[in-house]
Amino acid sequence: MNDVFLYYSENASYVFAQFVRHFLISLYGVIFAAIVAIPLGFFIARKGNLSKILIGIANVMQTIPSLAMLAILMFAIGTGPNTVVFAVFLYAILPILKNTVSGINSVTPALVDAAKGMGMTRFQLMTKVELPLAISIIMGGVRNALVLAIGVTAVGTFIGAGGLGDIITRGITVADGSAIIIAGAIPTALMAVVADFVLGIIENKLTPRTFTKV
């Protein structure tokens, strides 16, 4: 561990820069996926066949190994961080879409009928009934997507995206680079744990507040 701390002390600014780069690539991909998947989930939630088809397509995309996905995208749109952001976007679609559909379908039909009987518009129904009741399940999908994204981004080093994967691969390519590998692996794992913890707090904060508005 002394060698790890020595590496951090000598390369603190570099490690921090790669940490921020890694996190932003992961975050952007998940945000873009949420922008697409959450509204799409609301739209297809009660459309059985369409829901199965789209979730099936997203599921197929996620079964592709991350390195293979990056290789395919590299030939299509080139190398660099934008390619990794797009890969993260594709991988993050499934957990967010699936959880959104599950969350909406978990809303009791009687509540939906009551809201319609009160004269609520479709938008009011989504924002005042369905979203508050489904938010915890949707946030669970976002949490899973972000943790997955952090792992995918680590592989992005192979196509020149940077991030903490650069540190890990540098340790692999040098003699006796175990300390460098650990120096890259620790912040990567820490990022995933902290991201999951923080989103868990946000989820707990959102759920009571939205429920009290219903």
Side-chain angles (χ1 to χ4, degrees):
M1 288 300 294
N2 289 335
D3 291 338
V4 175
F5 289 124
L6 178 62
Y7 181 85
Y8 285 147
S9 64
E10 293 177 347
N11 302 275
S13 60
Y14 171 71
V15 173
F16 179 74
Q18 296 304 321
F19 183 93
V20 172
R21 186 181 183 88
H22 192 120
F23 179 72
L24 290 178
I25 291 172
S26 304
L27 184 63
Y28 289 154
V30 172
I31 289 174
F32 293 145
I35 290 172
V36 172
I38 292 176
L40 182 60
F42 273 85
F43 177 72
I44 68 172
R46 295 188 174 88
K47 302 180 187 298
N49 292 333
L50 182 60
S51 176
K52 290 178 182 178
I53 292 171
L54 292 181
I55 290 177
I57 293 172
N59 192 44
V60 168
M61 286 192 298
Q62 199 172 61
T63 60
I64 301 173
S66 56
L67 195 56
M69 176 71 80
L70 288 172
I72 295 169
L73 294 177
M74 180 182 67
F75 284 109
I77 58 178
T79 60
N82 290 339
T83 303
V84 182
V85 169
F86 190 59
V88 169
F89 165 81
L90 293 177
Y91 280 114
I93 286 288
L94 177 63
I96 299 175
L97 179 62
K98 194 172 183 178
N99 276 43
T100 301
V101 171
S102 297
I104 300 305
N105 286 335
S106 70
V107 177
T108 305
L111 290 176
V112 176
D113 292 337
K116 290 178 179 178
M118 293 171 61
M120 284 190 179
T121 64
R122 179 56 186 161
F123 181 76
Q124 290 175 325
L125 176 63
M126 288 191 298
T127 57
K128 295 185 177 182
V129 178
E130 293 176 330
L131 182 60
L133 294 174
I135 187 64
S136 61
I137 299 176
I138 295 172
M139 282 299 300
V142 174
R143 289 170 68 183
N144 291 338
L146 185 55
V147 173
L148 173 66
I150 291 169
V152 173
T153 303
V155 186
T157 183
F158 294 109
I159 61 168
L164 293 169
D166 275 10
I167 301 175
I168 297 173
T169 54
R170 181 174 299 183
I172 294 173
T173 57
V174 301
D176 194 21
S178 57
I180 302 177
I181 295 173
I182 295 173
I186 288 175
T188 304
L190 185 63
M191 185 190 301
V193 172
V194 172
D196 182 71
F197 178 74
V198 170
L199 285 179
I201 293 176
I202 295 173
E203 177 183 339
N204 291 333
K205 292 286 185 180
L206 283 175
T207 303
R209 184 160 64 245
T210 52
F211 269 109
T212 56
K213 290 181 181 180
V214 177

